[in-house]
Structure formats: C-alpha cells, structure tokens
Short mmCIF file of all heavy atoms in Angstrom, two decimals:
data_model
loop_
_atom_site.label_atom_id
_atom_site.label_comp_id
_atom_site.label_asym_id
_atom_site.label_seq_id
_atom_site.Cartn_x
_atom_site.Cartn_y
_atom_site.Cartn_z
N ILE A 1 68.35 115.39 131.65
CA ILE A 1 69.64 115.82 131.05
C ILE A 1 70.58 114.77 130.98
O ILE A 1 71.23 114.60 129.83
CB ILE A 1 70.13 117.04 131.87
CG1 ILE A 1 69.10 118.24 131.62
CG2 ILE A 1 71.47 117.48 131.48
CD1 ILE A 1 69.43 119.45 132.48
N LEU A 2 70.72 114.04 132.05
CA LEU A 2 71.81 112.91 131.97
C LEU A 2 71.38 111.82 131.01
O LEU A 2 72.30 111.28 130.23
CB LEU A 2 72.02 112.24 133.39
CG LEU A 2 72.69 113.14 134.42
CD1 LEU A 2 72.71 112.35 135.71
CD2 LEU A 2 73.98 113.63 133.96
N GLY A 3 70.14 111.59 130.76
CA GLY A 3 69.62 110.58 129.80
C GLY A 3 69.97 111.02 128.35
O GLY A 3 70.40 110.37 127.52
N LEU A 4 69.70 112.34 128.16
CA LEU A 4 70.05 112.88 126.79
C LEU A 4 71.59 112.92 126.61
O LEU A 4 72.01 112.67 125.51
CB LEU A 4 69.46 114.35 126.65
CG LEU A 4 67.97 114.46 126.59
CD1 LEU A 4 67.51 115.91 126.61
CD2 LEU A 4 67.53 113.75 125.31
N LEU A 5 72.36 113.18 127.64
CA LEU A 5 73.80 113.10 127.56
C LEU A 5 74.30 111.68 127.18
O LEU A 5 75.24 111.48 126.46
CB LEU A 5 74.41 113.55 128.79
CG LEU A 5 74.45 115.06 129.03
CD1 LEU A 5 75.08 115.50 130.31
CD2 LEU A 5 75.19 115.88 127.77
N GLN A 6 73.57 110.68 127.75
CA GLN A 6 73.86 109.30 127.35
C GLN A 6 73.71 109.05 125.75
O GLN A 6 74.63 108.44 125.13
CB GLN A 6 72.96 108.37 128.06
CG GLN A 6 73.30 108.12 129.50
CD GLN A 6 74.45 107.13 129.67
OE1 GLN A 6 74.52 106.21 128.94
NE2 GLN A 6 75.28 107.49 130.56
N PHE A 7 72.59 109.56 125.33
CA PHE A 7 72.28 109.51 123.93
C PHE A 7 73.39 110.23 123.08
O PHE A 7 73.85 109.63 122.11
CB PHE A 7 70.96 110.06 123.65
CG PHE A 7 70.41 109.96 122.30
CD1 PHE A 7 70.02 108.74 121.88
CD2 PHE A 7 70.24 110.98 121.46
CE1 PHE A 7 69.49 108.55 120.54
CE2 PHE A 7 69.78 110.88 120.21
CZ PHE A 7 69.39 109.57 119.74
N VAL A 8 73.73 111.29 123.50
CA VAL A 8 74.68 112.15 122.77
C VAL A 8 76.05 111.47 122.84
O VAL A 8 76.81 111.52 121.83
CB VAL A 8 74.74 113.55 123.31
CG1 VAL A 8 75.96 114.45 122.86
CG2 VAL A 8 73.41 114.40 123.03
N THR A 9 76.42 110.92 124.06
CA THR A 9 77.73 110.32 124.17
C THR A 9 77.83 109.15 123.25
O THR A 9 78.97 108.90 122.59
CB THR A 9 77.89 109.76 125.66
OG1 THR A 9 77.78 110.80 126.50
CG2 THR A 9 79.18 109.10 125.81
N THR A 10 76.78 108.33 122.91
CA THR A 10 76.79 107.25 122.03
C THR A 10 77.17 107.72 120.59
O THR A 10 78.02 107.16 119.91
CB THR A 10 75.47 106.49 121.96
OG1 THR A 10 75.11 106.09 123.23
CG2 THR A 10 75.46 105.40 120.99
N PHE A 11 76.60 108.76 120.19
CA PHE A 11 76.83 109.25 118.82
C PHE A 11 78.23 109.96 118.77
O PHE A 11 78.87 109.91 117.79
CB PHE A 11 75.73 110.33 118.38
CG PHE A 11 74.53 109.50 118.03
CD1 PHE A 11 73.37 109.48 118.80
CD2 PHE A 11 74.41 108.88 116.79
CE1 PHE A 11 72.23 108.90 118.50
CE2 PHE A 11 73.22 108.24 116.41
CZ PHE A 11 72.19 108.16 117.34
N THR A 12 78.63 110.55 119.92
CA THR A 12 79.97 111.21 119.87
C THR A 12 81.09 110.08 119.75
O THR A 12 82.08 110.25 119.00
CB THR A 12 80.16 112.00 121.12
OG1 THR A 12 79.09 113.03 121.27
CG2 THR A 12 81.49 112.65 121.20
N ILE A 13 80.98 109.11 120.56
CA ILE A 13 81.88 107.97 120.47
C ILE A 13 81.91 107.36 119.10
O ILE A 13 83.02 107.06 118.52
CB ILE A 13 81.60 106.94 121.56
CG1 ILE A 13 81.95 107.51 122.91
CG2 ILE A 13 82.41 105.64 121.35
CD1 ILE A 13 81.47 106.66 124.11
N THR A 14 80.79 107.14 118.43
CA THR A 14 80.72 106.50 117.08
C THR A 14 81.37 107.44 116.13
O THR A 14 82.11 107.01 115.25
CB THR A 14 79.21 106.35 116.64
OG1 THR A 14 78.54 105.46 117.70
CG2 THR A 14 79.16 105.76 115.34
N THR A 15 81.15 108.79 116.22
CA THR A 15 81.77 109.78 115.29
C THR A 15 83.18 109.73 115.41
O THR A 15 83.98 109.74 114.46
CB THR A 15 81.18 111.19 115.53
OG1 THR A 15 79.82 111.18 115.38
CG2 THR A 15 81.76 112.17 114.64
N LEU A 16 83.76 109.73 116.74
CA LEU A 16 85.19 109.65 116.90
C LEU A 16 85.79 108.39 116.51
O LEU A 16 86.93 108.47 115.90
CB LEU A 16 85.38 109.79 118.51
CG LEU A 16 85.16 111.16 119.07
CD1 LEU A 16 85.34 111.10 120.62
CD2 LEU A 16 86.08 112.23 118.52
N TYR A 17 85.12 107.31 116.56
CA TYR A 17 85.58 106.10 116.02
C TYR A 17 85.72 106.01 114.63
O TYR A 17 86.70 105.53 114.00
CB TYR A 17 84.90 104.78 116.55
CG TYR A 17 85.43 103.54 116.05
CD1 TYR A 17 86.62 102.95 116.70
CD2 TYR A 17 84.89 102.88 115.04
CE1 TYR A 17 87.16 101.86 116.07
CE2 TYR A 17 85.39 101.75 114.53
CZ TYR A 17 86.66 101.24 115.03
OH TYR A 17 87.19 100.06 114.51
N VAL A 18 84.71 106.51 113.88
CA VAL A 18 84.72 106.62 112.44
C VAL A 18 85.80 107.39 111.89
O VAL A 18 86.59 107.02 111.09
CB VAL A 18 83.33 107.01 111.93
CG1 VAL A 18 83.44 107.36 110.36
CG2 VAL A 18 82.36 105.94 112.12
N ARG A 19 85.97 108.60 112.57
CA ARG A 19 87.16 109.33 112.14
C ARG A 19 88.39 108.76 112.45
O ARG A 19 89.39 108.92 111.71
CB ARG A 19 86.99 110.79 113.04
CG ARG A 19 87.67 111.95 112.36
CD ARG A 19 87.55 113.19 113.12
NE ARG A 19 86.12 113.58 113.16
CZ ARG A 19 85.71 114.48 114.02
NH1 ARG A 19 86.31 115.07 114.84
NH2 ARG A 19 84.37 114.91 113.92
N PHE A 20 88.61 108.12 113.56
CA PHE A 20 89.87 107.45 113.97
C PHE A 20 90.15 106.28 113.00
O PHE A 20 91.20 106.08 112.44
CB PHE A 20 89.76 106.78 115.38
CG PHE A 20 90.94 105.98 115.78
CD1 PHE A 20 92.12 106.50 116.03
CD2 PHE A 20 90.68 104.62 115.79
CE1 PHE A 20 93.15 105.71 116.53
CE2 PHE A 20 91.82 103.78 116.23
CZ PHE A 20 92.96 104.36 116.54
N ALA A 21 89.10 105.50 112.67
CA ALA A 21 89.25 104.36 111.71
C ALA A 21 89.66 104.92 110.35
O ALA A 21 90.49 104.30 109.72
CB ALA A 21 88.00 103.61 111.76
N ASN A 22 89.05 105.96 109.89
CA ASN A 22 89.25 106.41 108.53
C ASN A 22 90.77 106.84 108.48
O ASN A 22 91.34 106.74 107.39
CB ASN A 22 88.39 107.60 108.18
CG ASN A 22 86.94 107.14 107.84
OD1 ASN A 22 86.75 105.98 107.48
ND2 ASN A 22 85.99 107.95 107.94
N ARG A 23 91.23 107.60 109.51
CA ARG A 23 92.62 108.03 109.45
C ARG A 23 93.72 106.96 109.81
O ARG A 23 94.72 106.91 109.07
CB ARG A 23 92.67 109.09 110.57
CG ARG A 23 92.82 110.46 110.08
CD ARG A 23 93.12 111.55 111.12
NE ARG A 23 93.40 110.95 112.53
CZ ARG A 23 92.58 111.12 113.49
NH1 ARG A 23 91.53 111.78 113.47
NH2 ARG A 23 92.92 110.61 114.74
N LYS A 24 93.46 106.09 110.86
CA LYS A 24 94.55 105.30 111.25
C LYS A 24 94.32 103.78 110.87
O LYS A 24 95.30 103.14 110.78
CB LYS A 24 94.58 105.37 112.82
CG LYS A 24 94.81 106.77 113.32
CD LYS A 24 96.24 107.10 113.28
CE LYS A 24 96.36 108.56 113.91
NZ LYS A 24 97.78 108.77 114.06
N LEU A 25 93.13 103.33 110.86
CA LEU A 25 92.86 101.92 110.69
C LEU A 25 92.71 101.50 109.18
O LEU A 25 93.32 100.50 108.67
CB LEU A 25 91.71 101.40 111.44
CG LEU A 25 91.86 101.54 113.04
CD1 LEU A 25 90.60 101.06 113.64
CD2 LEU A 25 92.96 100.90 113.56
N ASP A 26 91.90 102.17 108.51
CA ASP A 26 91.46 101.75 107.15
C ASP A 26 92.64 101.66 106.20
O ASP A 26 92.82 100.76 105.50
CB ASP A 26 90.43 102.68 106.56
CG ASP A 26 89.06 102.45 107.27
OD1 ASP A 26 88.94 101.46 108.07
OD2 ASP A 26 88.18 103.24 107.10
N PRO A 27 93.61 102.63 106.20
CA PRO A 27 94.68 102.44 105.32
C PRO A 27 95.49 101.23 105.48
O PRO A 27 95.93 100.50 104.53
CB PRO A 27 95.64 103.77 105.46
CG PRO A 27 94.59 104.78 106.08
CD PRO A 27 93.66 103.96 106.82
N VAL A 28 95.81 100.86 106.70
CA VAL A 28 96.61 99.66 107.08
C VAL A 28 95.79 98.51 106.72
O VAL A 28 96.28 97.56 106.18
CB VAL A 28 96.98 99.70 108.48
CG1 VAL A 28 97.86 98.51 108.95
CG2 VAL A 28 97.86 100.99 108.84
N ALA A 29 94.49 98.54 107.00
CA ALA A 29 93.63 97.31 106.70
C ALA A 29 93.56 97.08 105.20
O ALA A 29 93.55 95.89 104.78
CB ALA A 29 92.24 97.51 107.24
N GLU A 30 93.57 98.09 104.44
CA GLU A 30 93.55 97.93 102.89
C GLU A 30 94.88 97.38 102.51
O GLU A 30 94.78 96.41 101.59
CB GLU A 30 93.32 99.30 102.29
CG GLU A 30 91.88 99.78 102.44
CD GLU A 30 91.66 101.14 101.80
OE1 GLU A 30 92.48 101.56 100.94
OE2 GLU A 30 90.72 101.78 102.20
N ASP A 31 95.98 97.82 103.08
CA ASP A 31 97.28 97.22 102.76
C ASP A 31 97.31 95.69 103.09
O ASP A 31 97.81 94.85 102.30
CB ASP A 31 98.38 97.92 103.44
CG ASP A 31 98.63 99.34 102.85
OD1 ASP A 31 98.14 99.66 101.83
OD2 ASP A 31 99.39 100.04 103.57
#
C-alpha cells in the first residue's frame, strides 16, 4: 500500500505542478 501511495504521490505532485504552472507561471513566462 505504501509503495502504491509513492506511485500515486508522484503523479499527484506532477498534476499539481502542471496546474500551478498553467495558472501562475506560464502567463508571466510568456510576457
């Protein structure tokens, strides 16, 4: 179970980062 949670955590962090980057980072980077 903990091993599967490691796997899920990796994808969750990636999803959160992509969402964060799309909202907060990408517009400023484009400017």
